């Protein structure tokens, strides 16, 4: 690993206490054209020094990013707002937009970087309807865990991953019982 790679790794590992995964997946050409495509994901346990701050185009990723907070809280600055995500919350970001997130204490979360032809359309729909933070989506826990499990397999399947991702994202569009109150 050269100096630049070590510096980049140190930036992304700052505040990382432990991780499950860091699962990387390469989708087929068919999937890239027609399905949700998971690129990488995992589960992180971080301390109060964890921070990611992508402010310039050189730092942007050609993916969407989704989080599920398991323990603690994660602070976000995104577009013109600042908010905190708590256990059970899901946050859906477009990584083409400046984003900044950090922990002020211990936090554990799951995440995926993904793209595909429906990722942008769903992002725009959900963003217009509800913003980027979703609460009361306890049914998503099973899907997050199932996606991570499938990504960890040496024979992970494009269609299975895409179906689970579709169910996860489409489920965010369904109003939760908390939204009805």
């Amino acid at each position: 690993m050269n100096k630049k790679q070590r510096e980049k790794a140190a930036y992304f590992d700052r505040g990382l206490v432990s991780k499950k995964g860091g699962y990387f997946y390469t989708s087929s050409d068919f999937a890239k054209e027609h399905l949700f495509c998971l690129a990488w994901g995992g589960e992180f346990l971080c301390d109060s020094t964890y921070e990611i701050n992508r402010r310039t185009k050189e730092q942007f990723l050609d993916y969407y990013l989704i989080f599920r907070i398991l323990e603690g809280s994660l602070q976000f600055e995104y577009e013109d707002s600042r908010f905190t995500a708590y256990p059970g919350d899901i946050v859906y970001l477009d990584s083409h937009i400046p984003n900044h997130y950090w922990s002020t204490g211990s936090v554990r979360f799951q995440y995926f970087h993904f793209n595909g032809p429906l990722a942008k359309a769903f992002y725009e729909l959900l963003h217009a309807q509800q913003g980027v933070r979703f609460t009361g989506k306890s049914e998503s826990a099973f899907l997050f865990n199932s996606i991570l499990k499938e990504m960890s397999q040496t024979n992970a399947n494009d269609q299975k991953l895409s179906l689970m991702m579709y169910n996860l994202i489409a489920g965010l569009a369904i109003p939760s019982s908390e939204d009805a109150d």
Side-chain angles (χ1 to χ4, degrees):
M1 188 181 296
N2 65 35
K3 181 180 177 185
K4 186 173 183 176
Q5 290 170 320
R6 282 192 306 274
E7 288 171 356
K8 188 174 183 179
Y11 171 76
F12 287 107
D13 289 345
R14 182 179 54 230
L16 182 60
V17 174
S18 67
K19 64 181 176 179
K20 284 184 190 174
Y23 305 116
F24 291 86
Y25 183 73
T26 303
S27 299
S28 68
D29 290 338
F30 175 84
K32 290 175 185 174
E33 188 173 340
H34 301 287
L35 304 174
F36 280 110
C37 298
L38 282 289
W40 73 94
E43 183 176 307
F44 282 0
L45 173 63
C46 303
D47 65 21
S48 62
T49 62
Y50 179 74
E51 179 178 20
I52 300 294
N53 192 356
R54 295 185 182 102
R55 294 288 177 202
T56 64
K57 287 186 179 187
E58 296 79 33
Q59 297 171 315
F60 296 165
L61 302 173
D62 193 23
Y63 295 99
Y64 292 83
L65 174 58
I66 192 163
F67 297 85
R68 179 173 159 260
I69 309 304
L70 302 172
E71 298 170 0
S73 62
L74 202 55
Q75 314 296 314
F76 289 86
E77 284 181 354
Y78 186 74
E79 295 181 314
D80 292 326
S81 66
R82 186 175 184 164
F83 61 92
T84 303
Y86 298 98
D89 289 355
I90 294 174
V91 178
Y92 186 1
L93 304 179
D94 179 344
S95 292
H96 302 93
I97 296 173
N99 57 84
H100 179 204
Y101 48 95
W102 68 97
S103 177
T104 58
S106 180
V107 63
R108 189 166 62 99
F109 61 89
Q110 296 170 318
Y111 71 95
F112 309 114
H113 291 273
F114 67 98
N115 56 24
L118 293 176
K120 181 177 182 178
F122 265 111
Y123 171 83
E124 290 173 351
L125 171 75
L126 292 166
H127 187 268
Q129 287 180 345
Q130 304 174 53
V132 298
R133 181 175 154 255
F134 303 86
T135 60
K137 300 293 181 179
S138 58
E139 67 279 1
S140 68
F142 175 77
L143 289 166
F144 264 88
N145 290 328
S146 297
I147 291 168
L148 282 175
K149 183 177 180 183
E150 181 68 17
M151 288 181 77
S152 74
Q153 306 299 313
T154 56
N155 61 343
N157 181 278
D158 285 334
Q159 287 76 15
K160 190 173 184 181
L161 283 168
S162 182
L163 177 61
M164 289 186 287
M165 197 67 200
Y166 177 86
N167 287 333
L168 174 64
I169 300 298
L172 297 178
I174 299 169
S176 70
S177 56
E178 289 180 16
D179 296 335
D181 293 342

